[in-house]
Amino acid sequence: MYLVSLLLSTILVAVPLAAQAAARPLSPIKLHHTSWTAKDGAPPSIIAIAQTPDRWLWLASSNGVYRFDGVRFERFQPPGEQKPGNDIWGMRVLGNGALWIGYRSGGASLWQQGRLRNFGAADGFPVASVVDFEQDWRGRVWASTSQGLRMFDGSRWTAPQMQSTGQCMLLADPAKTVWARCESGTFVLPKGAEAFAPSSDGLGFGRMAMSGDGTVWAMGGQPGELAALSGPGRAKPAPPWPRAREAGGTMLFERDGLHGWATRADGVLRFGPGEQATVFGAVHGLSGSLPNAVFQDAEGNVWVGTENGLDRFRPAALQGVALPQIRWDTPAIAAGENGALWVGGTQVRTPGYEAFAALPAEDPASAVSAIHRHGADVWTGGLDGLWHYRDGKRQAIPLPDYVTTRQFNAIMRDSEGALWTAIRGAGLLRWKDGAWQRGGGIRELERRPDSMLADSHGRLWFGYTDNTLSVLEGGKVSVYGAEQGMRIGAVLQIAESAKGIWLSGLNGLYHFDGRQFVQVLGQGDDPMLGVSGMVDDGDALWLNGAAGITVVSKAELERALGTPGYRVNFRRLDHKDGLRGVATNSFPVPSAVAGTDGKLWFATTAGLFWLDRKAGADNRLAPPVYIRSANVDGADIPLAAQGVSQLPSNPGRVQIDFTSLSFTMPERMQFQYQLEGVDRGWQQGGALRTATYTDLGPGNYTFRVRAANNDGVWSERDAVAAFHVEPAFYQTAWFRELCAVAVALGLWGLYKLRVAQIARQVEGRVEARLQERERIARDLHDTLLQTVQALLLQMQCAWHKLPPGEPVRRDIERSLDLAQAALEEGRDKVQGLRAPQGGDLLTEVSRALKAEHPDVELELRASGELHPLAPAVYDELRAIALEALRNAVRHAGASQIIFEVCYAAEALSLTVRDNGRGLPVEVQQVGRAEGHWGLVGMRERAQRLGAQLIVDSVVGVGTILTVQVPGQRAYLAV
């Protein structure tokens, strides 16, 4: 920008300039303008605009009726069999909120409470073009047709007895008098009257409009015609308002009571305070050349319908004028006393359009680039030197000879009354008592800064283009830069805060508290680049930068300074708010100042803009919210406001469309939505008017949405739609139950197969075991037993040969007895191996124990019906019982043992009780005695049976061992 300024300076010096135009408004109408045409979906030839109580904006065109929500145009096709016609000729919303539509080819439609009703010849309606509607004091509806007036009493249309013929324009005044301007004259229906009567006004066919004081004005019948039909204006001369065009022209009086609109053949114009009543036409951006309708909505926006589309005019937050730029990127500005504003070297005492338009063209040789005000004193620095203004007097301050280029970057006055100036080519100069000093006599300050500030503590701050900051305090200079965390680039402005200093520049916004630099970023990591103007109004910080005018509240700034990484919420004013151009990124600075009357002033490359914080132009009207429809996999399905809508089964993608009716700035509206059962809380939808969900399961859902308008006012109630997703056959309860039954049956079948498999494995192992037992029995019988038998025979022969009194004979006799017993026991074992019957467990175990310990006192008990045991179970239980009984005899020293077997259907119980010494404590804790494995073996055998083994032992009292085997495992199947 410096190179641009230098190049421009050279050109201006070398080439004489023509006289410059004075300041001018940026638009013929001082409102923000937006237009919609066919490329945006707007219908052509809009001849009427209306707004129903639900806030929808209705557009009547030759192509049918359309609804508009500020973003989308939709052709009106209500549900049901009756549909509106296409060739619209008239449309009006009456006092009861009903929307009436008239057709060029005859007939009318009524839209009220979500229901459309059509009227034709069968209802008494003539086949004639319908132009207008109105409601009288009795609630009857009057329709103007090309064949005269028709009256609707709530059930049927009739033709009144009157002298009017042809078309009429209708309007009811505050006194409930209905006026009709017809092709055959003017007629009036006063309150209390039953029929229209001719009026003596002598006006022909034309439109009417009512002003804020209740006066009904007739206009447009003849060129320049404007007459008051009723109200306070009737007794006064016609005001010098601009006149509407002949015949089809109309007027609109805004609700503020100050401004009005008139339609012309070449556009529209607005008259009233601050307006010049200049035509706004197609050359200024109007959608067409011929305005057909003008309307003001509930929020105060003014709408114009033309042959090509739709236009909106709304109040803008900013007002502005284009100033002739002679030298610099933007004008140098400073606040003056009593609301005045300094623009360059001129003080504008009452800033406004007229005052700015009266500004003299800037002299290229005296262009001002820096202004500083301190109380009643003002200093300006420009190409013609340094000037001091006070009490209306202008005095030059002589500059030193070494100042050759009079381009001022900044001017500042310190607490001692000295004046500091930053001049290109000369550096920083201090002037006091008529003397100039480079850098104020301090060598470190001799180079030229781009911004300066004298704070309330007497410190002087200097910002430079090389990302450095110097502070002069108590005669000492401190320098800060990248090493201290400042990465602002060129420092464009310095402003004081309650806790430090704000610095703005090319790379963003920083705060310095004397110890550290903190960069402030906005939501979305907005860096707030190129801010060359900062204003602290007490509640917020206003920043004029490359992206527009940014407003950040003090609360957000405090949070950002106290919370590392926090991103501030902010509001941004841009072209939608009336701003044009951008702030300078070099000089003159500052590009934003606060006026002493509360106005904020901003200079950009396009002109000068201001905002009156006292005007209170916020949009406080809460927007209504509507859910429009759901799109399920490409098919539109209406969502009813009442009841539960049905959605098809297994939807892949569900897109819910919604909208909110706020027309001032719909592009800045914010939406929040929530699908109960899916979303955990409110989802931030931003400005998007759709919500998308995928793979919704069957069931009931409730969708909620709410909206905030452009000024953050939220809707008073949420829009709610309930819908039900039908289950597919495989998602139904009966299908799930059927699947559960099938799975259960399958599992049962698998269980039975597994049981059978295990049974076969067990049977196979038992069979193999029996075969092995039989093999062992055969081997024992054919070998060992035969050998023992032969041995016995030999020993008997030897015994017989010995004399009867031989001592050895007795020993051999005892050996024979033992061998015979061993042979019998071996035969018994062989018999058991061959044919284990699982018989009486008590008898078998007791006999075996008695053979080993004939002196033991053993009590046998049996209960229940004796069942044959499975061979494997019999063997394992026999082994466990013998081990338990042997332990009682050998280790416990028991004198009394009880052996009990209980045959029950659910379980077989085997119990051994003794009165011995009991198991030692350490054996009970470990589960076995050192070097002995009897207890371990019993547990392993019980585990193989799937049985439960319980050992209950008390030292010195005795031991009880119990084994319980499930009946289905213990008993042999019969």
Side-chain angles (χ1 to χ4, degrees):
M1 295 304 293
Y2 287 109
L3 293 176
V4 173
S5 299
L6 181 61
L7 179 60
L8 181 58
S9 171
T10 305
I11 295 174
L12 290 172
V13 171
V15 181
L17 295 178
Q20 300 297 317
R24 65 189 185 279
L26 299 171
S27 170
I29 294 179
K30 297 168 187 175
L31 296 174
H32 186 277
H33 170 250
T34 306
S35 67
W36 292 267
T37 57
K39 64 180 178 59
D40 308 299
S45 301
I46 298 175
I47 61 173
I49 307 172
Q51 189 174 34
T52 44
D54 56 10
R55 217 81 64 80
W56 278 99
L57 198 69
W58 298 80
L59 310 173
S61 75
S62 58
N63 196 30
V65 180
Y66 284 76
R67 292 198 310 182
F68 185 48
D69 63 357
V71 176
R72 294 175 287 192
F73 296 88
E74 64 176 15
R75 187 181 180 87
F76 179 55
Q77 292 293 326
E81 297 181 358
Q82 296 198 21
K83 303 295 181 182
N86 295 329
D87 194 7
I88 312 298
W89 205 241
M91 184 177 68
R92 175 83 72 87
V93 173
L94 301 184
N96 60 359
L99 176 69
W100 286 89
I101 305 168
Y103 302 102
R104 183 175 184 177
S105 56
S109 296
L110 167 64
W111 172 256
Q112 190 173 26
Q113 297 179 351
R115 179 172 176 267
L116 184 72
R117 182 181 178 186
N118 294 328
F119 299 95
D123 305 288
F125 211 91
V127 182
S129 299
V130 183
V131 179
D132 204 358
F133 299 89
E134 189 52 277
Q135 191 173 15
D136 67 14
W137 63 279
R138 288 182 54 186
R140 297 175 299 181
V141 176
W142 294 83
S144 168
T145 76
S146 57
Q147 296 182 12
L149 294 175
R150 293 295 187 273
M151 187 269 294
F152 182 61
D153 59 6
S155 59
R156 188 170 181 81
W157 293 90
T158 58
Q161 296 294 324
M162 59 182 299
Q163 301 174 2
S164 70
T165 58
Q167 301 178 101
C168 306
M169 303 305 297
L170 305 174
L171 185 65
D173 63 18
K176 297 189 180 300
T177 296
V178 179
W179 295 86
R181 291 187 65 190
C182 306
E183 294 176 317
S184 57
T186 303
F187 296 83
V188 61
L189 175 62
K191 181 179 180 180
E194 295 297 328
F196 279 89
S199 174
S200 59
D201 292 280
L203 300 174
F205 181 79
R207 295 182 181 270
M208 294 171 285
M210 187 164 57
S211 60
D213 62 359
T215 300
V216 175
W217 295 94
M219 79 292 291
Q222 300 295 330
E225 179 181 276
L226 182 65
L229 296 179
S230 68
R234 187 173 178 82
K236 302 176 183 178
W241 295 328
R243 305 300 196 255
R245 74 174 186 265
E246 185 178 352
T250 187
M251 296 179 70
L252 169 72
F253 296 92
E254 294 185 28
R255 285 190 294 275
D256 66 1
L258 302 174
H259 296 89
W261 294 71
T263 59
R264 297 289 184 87
D266 54 352
V268 295
L269 52 83
R270 186 178 188 241
F271 55 87
E275 294 287 357
Q276 300 298 319
T278 303
V279 172
F280 186 104
V283 68
H284 304 106
L286 198 69
S287 62
S289 301
L290 189 62
N292 298 316
V294 59
F295 174 78
Q296 186 176 27
D297 66 21
E299 296 170 88
N301 305 296
V302 174
W303 300 83
V304 177
T306 72
E307 78 279 12
N308 293 331
L310 180 69
D311 296 79
R312 180 193 62 199
F313 294 86
R314 60 170 174 80
L318 297 166
Q319 302 180 59
V321 294
L323 298 176
Q325 300 299 310
I326 301 299
R327 182 74 180 183
W328 320 117
D329 294 335
T330 62
I333 58 174
E337 294 185 299
N338 302 318
L341 183 73
W342 283 84
V343 181
T346 303
Q347 179 180 208
V348 182
R349 297 189 180 278
T350 56
Y353 290 105
E354 294 79 7
F356 291 131
L359 283 174
E362 187 177 21
D363 185 355
S366 62
V368 173
S369 60
I371 309 173
H372 177 70
R373 181 181 71 88
H374 185 87
D377 295 289
V378 176
W379 292 268
T380 66
L383 296 180
D384 61 347
L386 180 63
W387 296 88
H388 176 227
Y389 295 82
R390 185 179 178 87
D391 299 330
K393 297 179 181 180
R394 181 172 182 258
Q395 180 183 2
I397 298 177
L399 296 171
D401 295 337
Y402 53 79
V403 177
T404 58
T405 302
R406 297 181 176 183
Q407 177 181 304
F408 290 77
N409 283 64
I411 303 173
M412 173 184 69
R413 183 183 179 188
D414 63 20
S415 59
E416 298 177 359
L419 197 69
W420 297 72
T421 63
I423 306 175
R424 182 173 176 266
L428 177 63
L429 305 179
R430 183 177 186 265
W431 182 68
K432 184 173 175 57
D433 299 329
W436 289 96
Q437 285 181 304
R438 286 183 182 272
I442 303 173
R443 185 173 182 80
E444 296 96 313
L445 298 179
E446 289 184 358
R447 65 181 182 130
R448 175 183 57 82
D450 285 271
S451 54
M452 299 188 297
L453 170 71
D455 68 16
S456 59
H457 300 286
R459 295 172 298 189
L460 302 183
W461 300 76
F462 306 93
Y464 304 90
T465 58
D466 62 352
N467 190 54
T468 57
L469 177 72
S470 296
V471 184
L472 175 60
E473 183 177 11
K476 180 181 178 182
V477 178
S478 301
V479 180
Y480 303 92
E483 294 181 356
Q484 288 75 34
M486 187 176 80
R487 292 175 176 80
I488 198 172
V491 182
L492 298 179
Q493 193 180 359
I494 310 171
E496 188 173 7
S497 75
K499 297 182 180 179
I501 294 295
W502 288 107
L503 304 170
S504 66
L506 292 182
N507 297 338
L509 176 67
Y510 282 76
H511 185 269
F512 180 55
D513 61 1
R515 299 183 305 276
Q516 64 177 349
F517 291 87
V518 176
Q519 185 178 14
V520 176
L521 298 173
Q523 289 289 330
D525 289 333
D526 190 296
M528 305 183 190
L529 302 177
V531 174
S532 59
M534 289 191 291
V535 173
D536 186 345
D537 70 351
D539 297 323
L541 192 65
W542 297 72
L543 310 171
N544 189 19
I549 299 172
T550 304
V551 190
V552 187
S553 70
K554 287 295 186 66
E556 285 293 299
L557 293 173
E558 289 290 337
R559 187 172 179 182
L561 297 180
T563 308
Y566 179 71
R567 303 300 190 256
V568 297
N569 293 297
F570 62 89
R571 178 187 176 193
R572 178 156 291 157
L573 306 180
D574 52 24
H575 66 280
K576 302 181 183 69
D577 303 277
L579 183 69
R580 298 189 184 183
V582 295
T584 180
N585 63 0
S586 58
F587 70 96
V589 294
S591 63
V593 297
T596 53
D597 60 350
K599 291 182 180 178
L600 301 180
W601 299 89
F602 305 93
T604 75
T605 55
L608 185 61
F609 298 83
W610 63 94
L611 181 146
D612 189 355
R613 291 172 294 164
K614 299 178 182 178
D618 292 346
N619 182 5
R620 309 312 302 172
L621 192 61
V625 188
Y626 298 98
I627 298 174
R628 305 180 71 175
S629 63
N631 184 284
V632 182
D633 297 331
D636 288 331
I637 298 177
L639 293 180
Q642 303 293 332
V644 179
S645 302
Q646 299 297 320
L647 267 60
S649 60
N650 199 24
R653 179 176 179 272
V654 178
Q655 176 179 300
I656 302 176
D657 293 338
F658 47 83
T659 190
S660 182
L661 302 181
S662 180
F663 297 97
T664 300
M665 295 184 75
E667 63 274 18
R668 283 192 180 165
M669 296 190 69
Q670 296 293 311
F671 290 86
Q672 293 180 346
Y673 60 83
Q674 180 183 25
L675 183 61
E676 295 179 0
V678 176
D679 297 324
R680 294 186 177 180
W682 288 101
Q683 305 299 303
Q684 302 297 329
L688 297 178
R689 303 187 178 214
T690 60
T692 302
Y693 298 91
T694 57
D695 299 327
L696 292 179
N700 295 316
Y701 296 89
T702 300
F703 182 77
R704 298 178 181 275
V705 61
R706 59 191 182 189
N709 68 11
N710 58 297
D711 283 320
V713 179
W714 286 93
S715 48
E716 294 178 348
R717 59 181 60 87
D718 303 339
V720 181
F723 60 89
H724 177 77
V725 176
E726 293 289 344
F729 75 91
Y730 52 83
Q731 295 173 319
T732 58
W734 64 265
F735 184 81
R736 289 194 295 267
E737 292 173 358
L738 184 62
C739 290
V741 171
V743 169
L745 291 175
L747 292 175
W748 175 252
L750 292 175
Y751 169 75
K752 296 295 289 183
L753 288 175
R754 180 60 178 165
V755 169
Q757 182 184 20
I758 293 174
R760 287 194 298 271
Q761 292 175 354
V762 171
E763 289 177 358
R765 288 197 296 268
V766 170
E767 182 65 26
R769 187 173 179 181
L770 291 176
Q771 291 177 1
E772 180 66 14
R773 288 161 64 110
E774 290 180 356
R775 183 189 65 79
I776 294 172
R778 285 194 301 270
D779 291 344
L780 288 175
H781 180 271
D782 295 340
T783 58
L784 179 63
L785 294 182
Q786 294 296 332
T787 301
V788 173
Q789 182 65 41
L791 180 62
L792 282 174
L793 291 176
Q794 290 182 3
M795 289 181 67
Q796 285 178 351
C797 291
W799 178 75
H800 285 295
K801 292 178 181 181
L802 292 175
E806 183 68 29
V808 178
R809 184 182 177 93
R810 182 178 297 273
D811 293 335
I812 294 176
E813 187 176 355
R814 284 198 298 272
S815 297
L816 286 172
D817 292 338
L818 290 174
Q820 183 65 36
L823 181 62
E824 292 177 358
E825 184 178 0
R827 288 173 178 170
D828 291 339
K829 292 295 184 181
V830 169
Q831 181 65 25
L833 286 174
R834 279 190 167 274
Q837 300 298 319
D840 186 357
L841 189 61
L842 283 175
T843 303
E844 178 66 22
V845 171
S846 63
R847 186 177 65 177
L849 183 64
K850 286 288 187 178
E852 297 177 8
H853 304 282
D855 299 330
V856 68
E857 184 180 345
L858 180 63
E859 181 182 350
L860 303 180
R861 297 178 182 177
S863 62
E865 183 180 353
L866 178 66
H867 289 282
L869 302 182
V873 175
Y874 181 89
D875 286 348
E876 299 291 357
L877 289 181
R878 181 179 182 278
I880 293 173
L882 279 174
E883 181 68 23
L885 291 170
R886 288 167 180 164
N887 288 341
V889 174
R890 297 172 183 173
H891 303 296
S895 61
Q896 183 179 3
I897 302 174
I898 300 175
F899 179 34
E900 181 180 2
V901 177
C902 178
Y903 297 90
E906 62 274 6
L908 171 69
S909 296
L910 182 150
T911 304
V912 177
R913 296 184 178 89
D914 67 67
N915 63 350
R917 290 186 292 271
L919 293 174
V921 176
E922 58 273 16
V923 173
Q924 296 184 41
Q925 293 176 348
V926 177
R928 67 183 180 84
E930 184 69 24
H932 297 272
W933 302 95
L935 287 174
V936 176
M938 287 189 287
R939 290 192 181 93
E940 291 176 349
R941 292 178 183 276
Q943 185 176 6
R944 285 197 296 269
L945 294 178
Q948 184 179 12
L949 185 143
I950 303 172
V951 179
D952 185 8
S953 181
V954 179
V955 177
V957 176
T959 301
I960 301 176
L961 182 142
T962 304
V963 180
Q964 289 185 342
V965 185
Q968 59 184 4
R969 293 289 305 274
Y971 302 124
L972 189 65
V974 179

